[in-house]
Amino acid sequence: MTADEKKKQAAIAALDYVKPGSIIGVGTGSTVNHFIDALAEKMKGSVEAAVSSSEASTERMKNHGIPVIDLNSAGELSIYVDGADESNRHLHLIKGGGGALTREKIVAAASKTFVCIADDSKLVNILGKFPLPVEVIPMARSMVARELTKMGGQPVWRENFVTDNGNQILDVHNLEIMEPMKMETQINQIAGVVTVGIFAHRPADVLLLGGEDGVRTVSA
Ligand code: 5RP
């Protein structure tokens, strides 16, 4: 079974968490693309609307006829469905491989339940093998990179990439994130950082992992 088939399984399993008539939050990435397609195919017209975490997901949902609304008009969302680049057993995540981390963190914060969907390779013991994305204000990029280097990481500028918010991304290599909450706070304190891709203060509530033997549910 390919990683993509595993992602699709997890995405379909997330439909069980969607309450008909609700407004849901929708993340970004190849796993979420499967979720959007499955939502359109198997639950057509069932959700009232979605709040999107990226221009890419907005476009995909609109193409399927799923109404997309602004978070400011939505109130608290019942669920947020999104993928991840890594998860530990506490459901602390690394996100932002697709560069949508800031809006993802906002929509996750606005949601009652965060359902994370992934293939089983994403579950790790210690976060940090996947380079940690950090969204920065462009003028602060080099300064923030120096601060991240002092913390032991090796930041690499994701060149030719601009986020939906008009900012830039540093991907920080070689971090062993032993204390995700502490590091999330520490990096968010650096002037010029918009968002760090550690989701520990607001972790996922449920992780659906697609694997050879079906979908495994991990709860925090
Ligand atoms: C985008 C993300 C994605 O959820 C993450 O990169 C996982 O992507 P995929 O589902 O394609 O493996 O955080 O910013």
Side-chain angles (χ1 to χ4, degrees):
M1 189 182 275
T2 64
D4 195 58
E5 285 165 339
K6 293 177 181 177
K7 289 177 181 190
K8 190 171 177 179
Q9 277 191 342
I12 291 170
L15 294 177
D16 289 345
Y17 292 81
V18 177
K19 289 194 195 93
S22 62
I23 301 175
I24 65 169
V26 174
T28 301
S30 58
T31 318
V32 166
N33 284 345
H34 285 304
F35 172 75
I36 295 171
D37 295 350
L39 185 68
E41 191 192 321
K42 297 179 197 294
M43 293 183 76
K44 204 166 180 57
S46 159
V47 294
E48 185 183 323
V51 171
S52 175
S53 67
S54 65
E55 301 300 332
S57 291
T58 298
E59 195 188 333
R60 196 174 191 99
M61 287 194 276
K62 286 189 171 167
N63 288 341
H64 278 303
I66 299 169
V68 178
I69 61 167
D70 192 273
L71 179 61
N72 292 310
S73 337
E76 191 187 46
L77 307 171
S78 58
I79 62 159
Y80 177 56
V81 179
D82 198 0
D85 299 301
E86 281 183 350
S87 173
N88 67 17
R89 275 161 212 288
H90 305 290
L91 309 195
H92 300 148
L93 312 173
I94 286 186
K95 292 188 43 54
L101 61 163
T102 298
R103 295 189 189 189
E104 291 174 340
K105 206 172 260 199
I106 294 168
V107 185
S111 303
K112 205 158 173 243
T113 305
F114 178 175
V115 180
C116 184
I117 51 178
D119 69 86
D120 56 4
S121 71
K122 304 280 181 81
L123 185 63
V124 298
N125 287 326
I126 297 170
L127 299 175
K129 198 161 179 216
F130 188 91
L132 175 66
V134 180
E135 180 166 352
V136 296
I137 299 288
M139 70 168 284
R141 190 188 68 242
S142 300
M143 186 274 282
V144 173
R146 287 194 293 278
E147 293 302 313
L148 293 167
T149 304
K150 283 184 207 158
M151 290 172 66
Q154 289 180 319
V156 176
W157 176 23
R158 202 183 292 181
E159 286 189 73
N160 305 316
F161 183 86
V162 177
T163 70
D164 285 348
N165 313 306
N167 298 316
Q168 297 175 345
I169 299 271
L170 292 168
D171 292 303
V172 191
H173 295 247
N174 295 333
L175 285 175
E176 268 210 343
I177 306 174
M178 307 300 287
E179 295 179 282
M181 286 210 223
K182 196 171 161 194
M183 189 171 278
E184 182 177 6
T185 302
Q186 214 179 342
I187 295 178
N188 274 337
Q189 298 293 336
I190 303 170
V193 167
V194 178
T195 314
V196 59
I198 301 174
F199 286 52
H201 287 282
R202 202 287 175 246
D205 298 299
V206 183
L207 172 63
L208 301 176
L209 281 179
E212 293 294 339
D213 302 323
V215 178
R216 194 175 132 210
T217 305
V218 184
S219 302

